[in-house]
Amino acid sequence: MAVAIPAIYRTTVGKKAVMAVTGAVLVLYLIAHMIGNLKIFFGAEEFNHYAHWLRTIGEPAVPHRTVLTLIEVVLAASVVLHMWSAVSLARRASAARPVKYQAKRKSHAHGYATHTMRYGGVIILLFVIWHLLDLTFLVVNPKGSDATPYERMVADFAPERWYITIWYVLALIMVGLHLRHGIWSAFQTLGLRTPAATGRCAPWPPPPPRWSPRASWPCPSRSPSDG
């Protein structure tokens, strides 16, 4: 098994599967993180209690911050594998077509998705680094380590720090665009976006000459007499 995993990963399908699975891990964490942060609207006591609970999950069965550290390790590994797969696939696609087409064959939608995933991913990475320096390591937070989690969060989005709010809003928009295309691609890679799942069949009847448009028809119903 130790040999089979690298062999699978070296294939294009394997790299896409790694991207899909690690992306799913990150999306699940993003949802949980969002739900937890919504406690900020319930006041200081609720939010501070939530922040303390994150570091004491599993106590006294496991030492302080053990579960949170394991979650962070899984997330870090998922981010590294996700990025490595993306870069590897981009290089493989570029190597497969060293000379660009003279005519622009890609659709506007495909080009938009490619640029969103590529440059949006870089913006998201920079945002994650800032977010960690801000609210985890407290390096750039105005309150620092002497304040409570609630105080640090409120100070971060104070009116005089409007540029931080804009930065967070921009990053979240890019996360949304990244998810929009990424989730669709992950379903397709994992085989969840099939004709049976989408309610449509492959184009039928077979496409006529090239000059005629090709249409997708609903799945034809079959009777027992059809064999």
Side-chain angles (χ1 to χ4, degrees):
M1 188 64 180
V3 178
I5 292 177
I8 294 175
Y9 182 73
R10 282 195 293 267
T11 66
T12 299
V13 175
K15 294 177 187 295
K16 288 185 176 182
V18 170
M19 281 196 70
V21 173
T22 54
V25 171
L26 296 173
V27 168
L28 291 176
Y29 172 77
L30 184 65
I31 295 173
H33 190 57
M34 178 194 67
I35 294 173
N37 282 339
L38 288 176
K39 289 185 175 292
I40 193 75
F41 298 106
F42 292 93
E45 184 177 356
E46 282 288 331
F47 189 76
N48 290 333
H49 175 73
Y50 164 70
H52 176 73
W53 172 79
L54 285 176
R55 290 158 177 77
T56 58
I57 300 174
E59 290 188 356
V62 295
H64 181 75
R65 215 182 183 281
T66 298
V67 175
L68 182 59
T69 300
L70 291 175
I71 293 174
E72 290 171 345
V73 170
V74 172
L75 289 174
S78 297
V79 169
V80 170
L81 288 173
H82 195 79
M83 292 175 56
W84 184 264
S85 299
V87 172
S88 180
L89 286 169
R91 288 179 175 177
R92 177 168 293 188
S94 178
R97 184 171 52 86
V99 179
K100 294 184 178 181
Y101 295 120
Q102 293 181 356
K104 294 184 178 179
R105 300 176 118 183
K106 290 185 178 180
S107 65
H108 292 293
H110 181 78
Y112 166 78
T114 300
H115 285 81
T116 298
M117 298 300 286
R118 184 174 301 171
Y119 300 112
V122 173
I123 294 176
I124 293 170
L125 175 62
L126 295 175
F127 167 72
V128 169
I129 294 173
W130 171 269
H131 188 61
L132 291 174
L133 292 174
D134 185 15
L135 294 173
T136 300
F137 300 110
L138 312 178
V139 175
V140 296
N141 190 273
K143 288 290 185 178
S145 58
D146 296 331
T148 64
Y150 181 85
E151 292 170 342
R152 289 193 289 265
M153 179 76 80
V154 172
D156 220 13
F157 298 99
E160 60 270 19
R161 289 169 58 86
W162 55 269
Y163 50 92
I164 298 298
T165 302
I166 293 178
W167 168 229
Y168 269 79
V169 170
L170 173 63
L172 291 178
I173 291 175
M174 297 311 300
V175 169
L177 294 174
H178 201 81
L179 288 176
R180 180 178 180 271
H181 181 73
I183 291 176
W184 181 89
S185 298
F187 270 68
Q188 192 173 39
T189 299
L190 297 176
L192 301 177
R193 185 178 172 82
T194 62
T198 57
R200 301 182 69 85
C201 286
W204 184 263
R210 183 172 297 180
W211 53 264
S212 180
R214 180 176 178 175
S216 293
W217 293 67
C219 300
S221 58
R222 296 174 60 90
S223 63
S225 59
D226 292 337

